[in-house]
Amino acid sequence: DAKTTQPNSMESNEEEPVHLPCNHSTISGTDYIHWYRQLPSQGPEYVIHGLTSNVNNRMASLAIAEDRKSSTLILHRATLRDAAVYYCILRFTGTASKLTFGTGTRLQVTL
Amino acid sequence: DTEVTQTPKHLVMGMTNKKSLKCEQHMGHRAMYWYKQKAKKPPELMFVYSYEKLSINESVPSRFSPECPNSSLLNLHLHALQPEDSALYLCASSQGSQSSYNEQFFGPGTRLTVL
């Protein structure tokens, strides 16, 4: 199974942009890149997903490298409520029902 | 209604007890999931139900017994658990299980303590 690598933790100041990196050098051509986050004492929450092109939604943007070996989740203005563990996950065609979580990045947001 | 509800929120049980965790969704989703999350670890998939049939069992011990009585409900029956089974049990649902892009909606979890 293709794996993802993320930094263990990152810090950001409130109202600053945050770029959360993810490496997935063994990604297959049909693997979707998903991001979920888990706020303290809550279940994970879907953030965004993409295949090849950059994606935007109301929560974040996803920038995917041209060779698809890495991606970056962008929070445009971090707030204290964005403090969470962010998981970058590859979803494989054929075993699509699986969400295999890696260790994720713990984002701390300070005033 | 985009909510997955789980009951109870907390459960403490002895090793000889039988208990059940309950999960409910009213989004018309046809795939439902159980995950287990130990403290400071990522969630791990246990079971997947697709159209009320068990489609994936991630080699979970038989002391955990899932059940999907209808498309809105998912139960996890617990019997003869061990203290190391103490964890947060998360339920999730999605429109289907075979698509690579369907997002999963998670409930808040049941925090289980086995004494």
Side-chain angles (χ1 to χ4, degrees), chain A residues 13-79:
Chain A
N13 294 323
E14 200 177 21
E15 304 208 354
E16 298 274 325
V18 181
H19 291 232
L20 297 165
C22 181
N23 287 322
H24 30 77
S25 58
T26 57
I27 190 170
S28 299
T30 53
D31 292 341
Y32 280 79
I33 302 158
H34 284 246
W35 285 81
Y36 281 73
R37 72 179 185 180
Q38 188 169 20
L39 280 65
S41 302
Q42 293 189 28
E45 172 188 34
Y46 168 81
V47 177
I48 200 166
H49 76 270
L51 184 60
T52 55
S53 305
N54 294 345
V55 184
N56 300 299
N57 66 22
R58 62 174 179 82
M59 287 181 72
S61 296
L62 177 60
I64 301 173
E66 201 168 324
D67 63 5
R68 300 207 330 126
K69 292 183 188 298
S70 65
S71 60
T72 302
L73 179 70
I74 302 164
L75 306 179
H76 295 285
R77 288 180 68 198
T79 70

Side-chain angles (χ1 to χ4, degrees), chain A residues 30 32 34 36 38 41-46 49 87 91-103 106, chain B residues 33 35 37 40-45 48 55-56 58 88 90 97-108:
Chain A
T30 53
Y32 280 79
H34 284 246
Y36 281 73
Q38 188 169 20
S41 302
Q42 293 189 28
E45 172 188 34
Y46 168 81
H49 76 270
Y87 295 101
R91 294 199 74 179
F92 314 111
T93 303
T95 58
S97 51
K98 286 189 171 192
L99 275 183
T100 303
F101 289 81
T103 51
R106 182 172 299 277
Chain B
Y33 312 79
Y35 290 82
Q37 185 173 26
K40 300 199 183 302
K41 296 289 187 184
E44 294 179 344
L45 182 68
V48 180
S55 62
I56 292 181
E58 291 286 272
L88 181 68
L90 293 159
S97 65
Q98 291 307 304
S99 169
S100 296
Y101 51 81
N102 280 342
E103 66 177 280
Q104 291 187 14
F105 292 79
F106 284 81

Side-chain angles (χ1 to χ4, degrees), chain B residues 38-111:
Chain B
K38 300 281 280 183
K40 300 199 183 302
K41 296 289 187 184
E44 294 179 344
L45 182 68
M46 300 174 72
F47 302 105
V48 180
Y49 271 83
S50 181
Y51 289 85
E52 298 150 55
K53 287 189 177 8
L54 183 65
S55 62
I56 292 181
N57 175 342
E58 291 286 272
S59 303
V60 178
S62 60
R63 57 186 184 268
F64 296 92
S65 175
E67 179 198 19
C68 190
N70 61 57
S71 58
S72 300
L73 277 176
L74 186 65
N75 298 320
L76 186 63
H77 302 298
L78 314 172
H79 173 55
L81 293 194
Q82 304 295 311
E84 58 265 30
D85 295 322
S86 299
L88 181 68
Y89 288 84
L90 293 159
C91 175
S93 71
S94 67
Q95 277 191 321
S97 65
Q98 291 307 304
S99 169
S100 296
Y101 51 81
N102 280 342
E103 66 177 280
Q104 291 187 14
F105 292 79
F106 284 81
T110 293
R111 188 160 298 283

Side-chain angles (χ1 to χ4, degrees), chain B residues 8-22:
Chain B
K9 284 189 168 44
H10 301 273
L11 179 63
V12 179
M13 61 185 290
M15 289 190 282
T16 57
N17 292 156
K18 283 186 183 181
K19 296 285 184 185
S20 297
L21 309 184
K22 183 177 171 180

